[in-house]
Amino acid sequence: MLKDFPVIKLTILLAAGYLLQFHFNFPLIYPIILISLFLLIFCFQKYIGNINPIYYFLPIAIGALYFGFTQNLINKYPFNQSFIKNAVIFGKINDISLINDKDLKLEITSDSIKLKNTNYNKIQYILNIKSENQKKLKYYYYKFQIGNSINLTGNIYEPPGLRNFNGFNYKQYLLNKNISGIIAFNADKKDINIISNNVDYFRNMIYKARKSIDDKISVLYNKTSSALVRGLLLGDRSGIDDSLQQNYIKTGVVHVLAVSGLHVGLIIFIFFLLFGRLNIILKNVFSLIGIIFYFYLTGCQPSVFRASVMGIVVIICNLSGRSYSAINALFLSGFVILIFNPMDLFNAGFQLSFFAVLSILIYYPKFMFVLNKLNYTNYYLNKLYLLAAITISAQILTIPFLLIYFHQISLISLIANIIVVPLTSLILLIGMLTVFISYLWPNGALIFSSVNDFMIKSNDYFVNLLANNKCSTINIFDFSYYDLFVYFIFITAFTLLFNKMTNFRSKVVFIVIIILNLFIYFRLDNNNYAPPNNLTVIALDVGQGDAFLIKLPNNKTWLIDAGNITNTFNAGLNVILPTCGFLGIDKLDYVFISHIDSDHYLGLTGIIDKIKIGVLYKPKPFDNDKKDKAFENLLIKNKILYKYYKKESINISDAKLYFLTTNKIPQNSNDKSGIIKLVYGKTSFLFTGDAGTKVEDNLINSYGSFLKSNVLKAGHHGSKYSTGDLFLQAVKPQIALISAGIFNIYNLPSDTTISKLKKNNIEILRTDKSGTVILTSTGFEIKKIDWK
């Protein structure tokens, strides 16, 4: 097959070169020398005989060189500081996103950022304009044009990298798009000035078309439906509710939200329908123009690029009278994408789109072969089988990517796809027609949108119904790229060799051997971040809040605090639950809530029905504390036993836990914090919640030298009102853990606290700097584990 379709071989070898350079980062002189050597051998080939295998290495070397060269062109974050306040920025608008409820995102290239007599320019940023006033956002939305030069004063951030296990590396994601930083701008306090009205006419035409279509969608549909239609038509899913997107993932139908082959196929169908009376050349040319325009209209995403190239190949084959090879067109699209942007090789949209189509092309004919042998005569049964065959075929090669990005396999995807895929296709078609009709007959478009709105509600109801079934998914959190590589080796072996087995017994044995090998090889790269027979303390990065996961030598698990829930972040669902899954934890034997401040307890409310909890400890509530009473009612509703802190100790395995209390009556929530000392062997950890210096002084008077601990969790996220000098002298820690949010608005930890810790030669470990921090104790010494 590779001999007949050289583009397949070329694309695979080019991607191999990219991967080698990405993982090993060779000096570019190495691939240059190899290419020179290969070319020299090529020139003298007729004198030295047949050297065909050498041609396989030449594209790999070229791929490595090209990838390394393009990486050198990417501008990294240029500043020494991760956060720069009130920077004066001059720049040019490259792109404008569709507007959301509370922000507007622009992509800009800086012309000038002057800091300390150093001028930084030609760096690409995301400009995030925020405002509580929607009119203010719309003012900029309709005022700006792509190509305008602007001037503003904003805060510059370095994008956060990998913060937690299986977390999202936003920094790498932006670098893949050659974007180096983030500029935050508050439109309620300042203004952005347009200093030049220059316009990029082509890109601005596309932007205006996107904006116009989005405006039509907003008028025709309610908020929920318009978010889905906008996602399906324009490739912008930012308005779709996070919980609904998660349910699409759980049911295995998230692929319907991506703009890809279905959309391009509909574009070709619509254009052939509209220009059906024209001659074949004009009909195909108009369809070609329509595909290219739609590609730009949807934001030039890799999945659309792949589908567009394949659609263009179909049209070219029609015009030239040549036969069409789908697999050749697929690899040609992959080759073109990787030439334009090598980093798209690591783009989830490209990977899922490419391998879904490849999987269908390889395995769907095999299912068809089985269908022909079964010889069903029932029309509807045949159609159902075909739809099921496409669904199963698409998942064979995409399962490892789904595990890497979503950490779960849907057990109900077959049922969901049989209903959701046809329904979504109809929603998409009517959505396209509705927008088109709205420009000609606005009232008539409302009729179509009403019908579509009913179908969207039905679709969402069905997705939510299936997703809420507790047996809908299997979670697998520790699937890696190594596991993906192993999976592809064995699935390739299975595909090539299975049909060569001569009898049923040999096929069964072959399947068993494949499964056993997968099970063995999948476990080879499993990292044990909580070593057996050790006590492990994990300071989770939950933003501005506290959450400490503790795993004991007997595999019992404790949680001290649980972070917060905000409009954009749920510490329980986004961090604690995935980390528990990654470590194989299905029960929290003890949960300790230091006090009822949202950044310490609220994250637990997001997972209280999703993980088993043994016993929960918390402070006794103030009489008038409605928030605390509501939390206790939630515990009662979920049948979770809870107790109040009192002066006592708990023995579990070789670890001992002490609750340190004083007779002083706390005056506020922070000073009610439960103080916990954890002792394992000759090592100890002291957790102080948000307790202030007054509580610390009381602890010194009550416990004296007993406070001495190897590790201190600095009080109140490193605030200057905690971690006093006398308290440090009493505790004498070697390590200070500080849990604080990156770029938090409180500017914690304070410089005062950091100075005190440094003065006492205490090692400082901060979640805002390092992300998740892992400490493990043998009972004699404490070590830091580098999980990255």
Side-chain angles (χ1 to χ4, degrees):
M1 182 175 70
L2 294 183
K3 184 178 178 181
D4 297 329
F5 304 112
V7 71
I8 299 177
K9 177 173 65 177
L10 188 59
T11 305
I12 293 172
L13 296 176
L14 184 72
Y18 288 1
L19 288 170
L20 286 172
Q21 185 64 28
F22 176 80
H23 285 289
F24 297 105
N25 195 24
F26 298 116
L28 294 187
I29 190 63
Y30 291 176
I32 290 173
I33 292 172
L34 281 175
I35 292 168
S36 302
L37 180 62
F38 292 150
L39 292 176
L40 186 64
I41 293 172
F42 174 76
C43 293
F44 291 95
Q45 181 183 2
K46 65 178 181 179
Y47 300 109
I48 59 178
N50 187 8
I51 44 116
N52 282 339
I54 212 73
Y55 297 143
Y56 288 90
F57 296 98
L58 180 58
I60 293 175
I62 293 173
L65 175 64
Y66 182 62
F67 186 87
F69 176 74
T70 56
Q71 288 301 288
N72 288 337
L73 295 178
I74 294 177
N75 293 308
K76 306 297 190 295
Y77 183 78
F79 309 109
N80 294 326
Q81 300 168 278
S82 296
F83 171 61
I84 299 167
K85 196 172 183 180
N86 294 326
V88 178
I89 302 149
F90 292 84
K92 178 183 176 183
I93 299 174
N94 299 328
D95 197 11
I96 305 173
S97 299
L98 299 175
I99 194 169
N100 288 314
D101 288 340
K102 291 189 177 180
D103 66 13
L104 172 64
K105 288 183 172 62
L106 282 67
E107 188 179 309
I108 70 167
T109 299
S110 62
D111 290 326
S112 173
I113 300 176
K114 193 172 184 179
L115 298 172
K116 295 182 180 179
N117 299 320
T118 304
N119 203 42
Y120 298 88
N121 54 19
K122 302 305 177 187
I123 305 292
Q124 293 193 74
Y125 296 90
I126 291 291
L127 171 58
N128 192 9
I129 304 172
K130 288 197 172 184
S131 175
E132 296 296 327
N133 186 344
Q134 186 72 5
K135 289 183 179 179
K136 191 76 172 179
L137 288 178
K138 287 186 176 181
Y139 167 75
Y140 287 119
Y141 185 53
Y142 291 103
K143 180 180 179 181
F144 289 145
Q145 297 188 75
I146 296 175
N148 287 169
S149 293
I150 58 174
N151 164 232
L152 68 140
T153 301
N155 300 330
I156 300 176
Y157 297 85
E158 182 178 13
L162 190 61
R163 310 291 301 174
N164 288 294
F165 298 122
N166 289 314
F168 179 58
N169 193 333
Y170 189 52
K171 181 178 181 178
Q172 188 60 54
Y173 169 78
L174 291 181
L175 278 177
N176 290 352
K177 301 169 72 173
N178 201 17
I179 295 170
S180 306
I182 302 168
I183 300 171
F185 177 81
N186 189 335
D188 294 329
K189 296 180 179 180
K190 301 172 184 176
D191 287 321
I192 299 176
N193 302 311
I194 296 178
I195 56 178
S196 169
N197 286 309
N198 293 336
V199 175
D200 183 329
Y201 289 102
F202 175 75
R203 298 189 68 183
N204 203 61
M205 177 188 69
I206 299 295
Y207 163 61
K208 285 184 175 181
R210 277 173 64 83
K211 190 165 57 173
S212 175
I213 292 171
D214 187 49
D215 288 343
K216 292 291 184 183
I217 292 170
S218 299
V219 170
L220 293 167
Y221 295 94
N222 61 45
K223 186 177 180 180
T224 302
S225 296
S226 66
L228 181 65
V229 175
R230 177 203 265 193
L232 291 175
L233 264 64
L234 299 175
D236 186 332
R237 304 206 302 256
S238 60
I240 302 176
D241 183 71
D242 286 341
S243 61
L244 180 59
Q245 291 200 55
Q246 285 298 318
N247 287 343
Y248 271 84
I249 293 169
K250 284 182 180 180
T251 49
V253 293
V254 69
H255 60 90
V256 302
L257 300 180
V259 180
S260 57
L262 174 63
H263 302 69
V264 173
L266 282 174
I267 291 295
I268 295 174
F269 170 75
I270 290 170
F271 271 79
F272 268 58
L273 198 65
L274 290 174
F275 303 107
R277 294 182 177 275
L278 300 178
N279 65 57
I280 189 169
I281 295 177
L282 287 175
K283 186 164 55 177
N284 280 282
V285 168
F286 279 124
S287 298
L288 192 64
I289 294 171
I291 290 173
I292 295 171
F293 180 78
Y294 190 68
F295 166 65
Y296 282 103
L297 189 69
T298 52
C300 307
Q301 300 172 35
S303 59
V304 193
F305 199 166
R306 190 272 310 158
S308 298
V309 172
M310 293 187 72
I312 289 169
V313 172
V314 169
I315 291 172
I316 291 173
C317 287
N318 281 340
L319 289 171
S320 62
R322 301 183 65 177
S323 60
Y324 173 74
S325 167
I327 197 164
N328 210 28
L330 174 64
F331 276 89
L332 176 62
S333 68
F335 180 79
V336 174
I337 289 169
L338 295 182
I339 290 296
F340 272 91
N341 184 10
M343 289 307 297
D344 276 342
L345 180 64
F346 306 99
N347 181 286
F350 169 74
Q351 292 170 349
L352 289 167
S353 173
F354 183 90
F355 281 96
V357 175
L358 179 62
S359 195
I360 291 170
L361 293 176
I362 292 173
Y363 296 105
Y364 180 68
K366 299 181 185 300
F367 283 103
M368 286 295 295
F369 177 76
V370 174
L371 177 63
N372 292 333
K373 290 186 72 173
L374 293 174
N375 196 25
Y376 285 128
T377 56
N378 187 295
Y379 174 81
Y380 296 103
L381 192 61
N382 277 342
K383 291 297 180 184
L384 189 64
Y385 178 92
L386 294 177
L387 189 55
I390 291 175
T391 301
I392 296 170
S393 298
Q395 293 188 351
I396 292 173
L397 296 185
T398 56
I399 279 177
F401 295 104
L402 293 171
L403 287 175
I404 285 174
Y405 295 117
F406 305 125
H407 318 303
Q408 56 189 224
I409 297 176
S410 174
L411 300 178
I412 53 175
S413 62
L414 182 58
I415 298 171
N417 274 274
I418 287 173
I419 297 175
V420 172
V421 170
L423 191 55
T424 306
S425 303
L426 194 56
I427 290 169
L428 173 62
L429 178 60
I430 296 176
M432 287 180 171
L433 290 174
T434 303
V435 171
F436 178 74
I437 293 169
S438 67
Y439 287 98
L440 306 173
W441 183 27
N443 291 333
L446 288 171
I447 299 172
F448 284 91
S449 67
S450 298
V451 175
N452 217 16
D453 183 64
F454 172 76
M455 289 195 296
I456 290 168
K457 288 179 180 177
S458 302
N459 192 57
D460 290 348
Y461 173 80
F462 181 74
V463 169
N464 290 330
L465 182 67
L466 286 179
N468 289 327
N469 185 333
K470 291 185 178 180
C471 300
S472 62
T473 58
I474 296 176
N475 292 318
I476 301 175
F477 290 94
D478 57 351
F479 198 86
S480 66
Y481 281 102
Y482 161 81
D483 297 326
L484 179 146
F485 180 70
V486 169
Y487 178 87
F488 273 108
I489 288 176
F490 282 99
I491 200 68
T492 301
F494 178 83
T495 303
L496 294 175
L497 301 177
F498 183 74
N499 286 333
K500 294 184 179 181
M501 301 293 154
T502 55
N503 55 60
F504 178 76
R505 179 181 294 178
S506 62
K507 290 183 177 183
V508 171
V509 171
F510 182 61
I511 291 172
V512 171
I513 291 172
I514 290 285
I515 293 173
L516 288 175
N517 273 277
L518 283 174
F519 180 77
I520 293 168
Y521 282 100
F522 280 167
R523 298 177 66 86
L524 289 181
D525 74 323
N526 288 358
N527 294 307
N528 196 341
Y529 297 113
N533 303 317
N534 284 13
L535 180 140
T536 303
V537 175
I538 303 173
L540 297 169
D541 178 26
V542 291
Q544 186 57 28
D546 275 7
F548 299 90
L549 193 63
I550 300 169
K551 196 167 186 183
L552 278 68
N554 65 351
N555 287 325
K556 295 289 185 181
T557 306
W558 299 347
L559 178 70
I560 300 178
D561 286 333
N564 203 351
I565 294 177
T566 67
N567 291 333
T568 58
F569 180 74
N570 185 320
L573 286 176
N574 299 142
V575 179
I576 296 172
L577 204 61
T579 301
C580 287
F582 187 85
L583 297 174
I585 297 168
D586 58 5
K587 181 183 180 182
L588 299 172
D589 298 283
Y590 284 91
V591 173
F592 306 96
I593 299 300
S594 63
H595 63 299
I596 305 300
D597 273 3
S598 60
D599 59 332
H600 289 256
Y601 87 97
L602 204 56
L604 188 68
T605 65
I607 59 172
I608 203 165
D609 60 340
K610 294 177 174 61
I611 190 167
K612 295 177 183 177
I613 296 175
V615 181
L616 183 141
Y617 280 83
K618 62 182 289 294
K620 189 175 182 179
F622 289 117
D623 292 337
N624 60 348
D625 194 335
K626 294 180 180 179
K627 181 171 61 175
D628 203 335
K629 290 293 185 183
F631 179 57
E632 289 188 353
N633 289 335
L634 181 65
L635 297 175
I636 293 169
K637 179 182 176 183
N638 285 274
K639 299 179 181 178
I640 294 173
L641 174 65
Y642 68 90
K643 299 179 180 181
Y644 298 134
Y645 291 122
K646 62 181 181 179
K647 193 172 183 177
E648 65 175 324
S649 61
I650 300 174
N651 288 305
I652 299 180
S653 184
D654 296 326
K656 193 165 187 176
L657 199 70
Y658 297 88
F659 298 140
L660 309 185
T661 61
T662 67
N663 295 324
K664 300 292 183 179
I665 299 174
Q667 300 300 312
N668 55 58
S669 176
N670 286 343
D671 287 348
K672 283 176 71 71
S673 294
I675 311 299
I676 299 171
K677 181 172 180 178
L678 171 61
V679 178
Y680 177 60
K682 295 183 178 181
T683 62
S684 54
F685 301 76
L686 186 62
F687 298 90
T688 58
D690 280 354
T693 51
K694 288 183 180 180
V695 175
E696 293 174 353
D697 292 340
N698 292 333
L699 289 169
I700 294 170
N701 294 330
S702 298
Y703 296 97
S705 61
F706 183 72
L707 294 174
K708 185 178 179 181
S709 303
N710 300 96
V711 179
L712 170 66
K713 199 292 291 188
H716 206 177
H717 320 290
S719 163
K720 65 181 179 180
Y721 301 109
S722 298
T723 319
D725 290 313
L726 292 176
F727 191 65
L728 278 178
Q729 291 174 23
V731 179
K732 294 182 173 61
Q734 289 91 51
I735 298 172
L737 277 176
I738 300 178
S739 181
I742 186 171
F743 312 132
N744 66 84
I745 61 174
Y746 310 103
N747 294 319
L748 296 174
S750 75
D751 293 337
T752 303
T753 300
I754 297 298
S755 297
K756 277 191 285 189
L757 295 171
K758 288 181 177 179
K759 183 180 177 181
N760 287 276
N761 296 315
I762 299 169
E763 183 181 1
I764 304 169
L765 301 177
R766 299 168 51 173
T767 60
D768 61 326
K769 294 291 186 182
S770 306
T772 286
V773 175
I774 304 178
L775 297 175
T776 184
S777 168
T778 62
F780 298 97
E781 63 175 341
I782 295 172
K783 293 182 179 180
K784 179 185 175 184
I785 293 180
D786 185 4
W787 61 273
K788 293 183 180 181

